[in-house]
Amino acid sequence: MTDTEYMRQALEEAAKGKGFTSPNPCVGAVVVKNDEIIGRGFHPKAGGPHAEVVAIDNALANAPDKVIGATIYVTLEPCNHYGKTPPCTKKILDAGITRVVVACADPNPNVEGGGNAFLRAKGIEVISGILEDEASTLIEDFIWAIQHPKDPFVTLKCAATLDGHIATRTGDSKWITNDASRAFGHRLRHEADAILVGSGTLHADDPSLTARIKGFPAVDPARVVLDSRLTIRPDAKVITTDSRAPVIVVTGPEPPADKRRQLEDKGVTVIAADLTDNGLDLRQVMIKLGAMSIASLLVEGGGKVAASALRAGIVNKVCYFIAPKFLGANDGIPVFSGTGPEKIKDAFELDRVTTRRFGADILVTGYLDRQNQFKRTGV
């Protein structure tokens, strides 16, 4: 196998930790000697052993006589500082590993190049950049959080018919997409620190907003509800469902004190934000959520929230499910509501677009440049 093939194995290991490691990135590693994988591992949770440590310990248990002179493939540059755990560079040196292959460098400016440079200075052969794009995509929320502290990485998820509807005129939406698409949607919930919906979705569907994946111990995201007038019922499923994940209700300035106390007595966190012509100030909401250590946010709102998120310039990534069905009319509920741009040149355009099939459904994934979104006018 080649370096690329072994790194792909390390990426598969890293993906096992996705959703469990926040605020740390998910990282995977494999140890190879004489074209044989003798150890593998991934970072299981924040505060737990790093992937390199797990993989090396696994190799020492499986083939202790083969670790000296081995190669370790790791998806993120090994750390070279003491935190909750000792530096992984020390573990690599102590194990007698002589070659390190890295996918992407550590994006933290305080440690950039530290691990690789340290290992090279100790005589270790270090190769970096193998499957860098794939590794960076896997930890894109972590990279964004490092570069934009207290500003969550936002993924907007949509699911629509071919003619752009999320529900019929009566509000019926069950189900536009198939089981496989909905299962992947729950995977997105598991991988995010928080999920956000508007009060319209809350009242129409009464969702629990939990992550439910058959046969998998999914982690529920924090549940965030935009509710400018504090209309949420105390018996809403998002509040009463048994979950460790917090519930955060974002309301307008000076919410009714008695309703606020009633919700807080049930364990709900209520925060206030300013109002704009399009509703709650979502840029301000992002700052408040970022201050609560929410580094990644999945937006699952209806047409109003989805359009407001785009207009506010807070969206990094779009996951748009398209089901091969249509209403054949213009009276359904659209994916986005409100007033759009006057010119096609001002339309939101995705970059780095990929597609994926879930049965007959198609998932289109792409990215928006948030810096350019901030500069948009007339939308």
Side-chain angles (χ1 to χ4, degrees):
M1 290 174 64
T2 65
D3 283 346
T4 298
E5 291 170 317
Y6 283 125
M7 185 60 75
R8 202 168 297 283
Q9 293 283 316
L11 284 168
E12 289 180 7
E13 288 295 317
K16 296 175 183 178
K18 188 73 172 176
F20 296 105
T21 63
S22 184
N24 292 353
C26 56
V27 182
V30 296
V31 181
V32 176
K33 182 69 174 292
N34 298 329
D35 292 326
E36 175 191 3
I37 296 178
I38 60 174
R40 59 176 70 234
F42 63 94
H43 180 43
K45 63 179 181 179
H50 288 189
E52 299 94 319
V53 173
V54 177
I56 291 172
D57 284 347
N58 183 239
L60 289 170
N62 292 335
D65 56 327
K66 295 183 178 180
V67 178
I68 294 177
T71 296
I72 187 168
Y73 295 81
V74 60
T75 58
L76 182 64
E77 178 181 358
C79 65
N80 189 40
H81 60 278
Y82 281 88
K84 292 183 178 180
T85 59
C88 291
T89 51
K90 183 178 187 302
K91 184 74 173 183
I92 291 170
L93 290 173
D94 290 347
I97 288 172
T98 56
R99 184 169 181 263
V100 178
V101 182
V102 175
C104 62
D106 194 320
N108 192 328
N110 296 323
V111 299
E112 185 176 358
N116 288 348
F118 176 82
L119 291 170
R120 288 190 180 107
K122 294 295 183 179
I124 304 296
E125 179 186 0
V126 178
I127 298 173
S128 186
I130 305 296
L131 294 183
E132 181 177 11
D133 288 345
E134 290 89 337
S136 296
T137 298
L138 191 62
I139 59 170
E140 59 192 4
D141 49 352
F142 171 76
I143 293 174
W144 174 268
I146 290 294
Q147 298 172 347
H148 305 83
K150 300 192 183 303
D151 189 2
F153 181 93
V154 177
T155 299
L156 173 62
K157 172 185 167 285
C158 308
T161 61
L162 286 171
D163 47 0
H165 294 108
I166 60 174
T168 66
R169 66 178 181 276
T170 66
D172 181 50
S173 62
K174 294 180 173 57
W175 295 102
I176 287 176
T177 53
N178 60 30
D179 290 346
S181 294
R182 296 199 301 277
F184 187 78
H186 279 272
R187 173 71 65 165
L188 294 177
R189 289 184 178 185
H190 159 74
E191 294 178 354
D193 287 343
I195 180 174
L196 181 148
V197 301
S199 57
T201 296
L202 185 79
H203 296 314
D205 301 335
D206 193 21
S208 62
L209 301 179
T210 54
R212 303 179 297 279
I213 305 174
K214 186 176 181 180
F216 182 80
V219 177
D220 291 338
R223 283 80 52 80
V224 182
V225 179
L226 301 179
D227 188 5
S228 60
R229 294 179 295 164
L230 214 57
T231 58
I232 184 172
R233 299 190 314 273
D235 62 347
K237 284 183 181 178
V238 72
I239 296 175
T240 60
T241 296
D242 184 19
S243 174
R244 295 180 180 179
V247 177
I248 303 166
V249 175
V250 186
T251 189
E254 301 179 4
D258 56 341
K259 185 64 177 290
R260 179 169 189 159
R261 280 194 301 271
Q262 185 182 31
L263 293 173
E264 290 176 339
D265 286 344
K266 289 183 172 290
V268 176
T269 298
V270 180
I271 60 176
D274 294 335
L275 294 170
T276 70
D277 292 340
N278 294 315
L280 289 164
D281 185 337
L282 292 185
R283 294 188 189 180
Q284 187 181 103
V285 172
M286 293 306 102
I287 293 172
K288 288 177 178 287
L289 294 180
M292 300 171 73
S293 299
I294 292 174
S296 58
L297 177 71
L298 179 66
V299 175
E300 274 196 15
K304 182 178 178 181
V305 168
S308 295
L310 288 176
R311 284 194 288 265
I314 65 168
V315 178
N316 296 82
K317 181 178 182 179
V318 176
C319 290
Y320 196 121
F321 290 90
I322 303 171
K325 57 187 71 170
F326 45 87
L327 300 185
N330 65 356
D331 62 349
I333 299 175
V335 182
F336 303 103
S337 63
T339 303
E342 295 182 356
K343 305 285 186 179
I344 288 295
K345 68 179 180 64
D346 295 322
F348 295 93
E349 185 171 0
L350 297 178
D351 189 20
R352 294 182 284 150
V353 175
T354 59
T355 59
R356 179 175 174 180
R357 290 283 296 271
F358 290 91
D361 293 350
I362 297 174
L363 170 62
V364 178
T365 301
Y367 295 82
L368 292 167
D369 184 343
R370 282 180 65 167
Q371 299 305 316
N372 285 340
Q373 287 184 74
F374 291 147
K375 300 175 184 176
R376 295 171 63 90
T377 58
V379 178

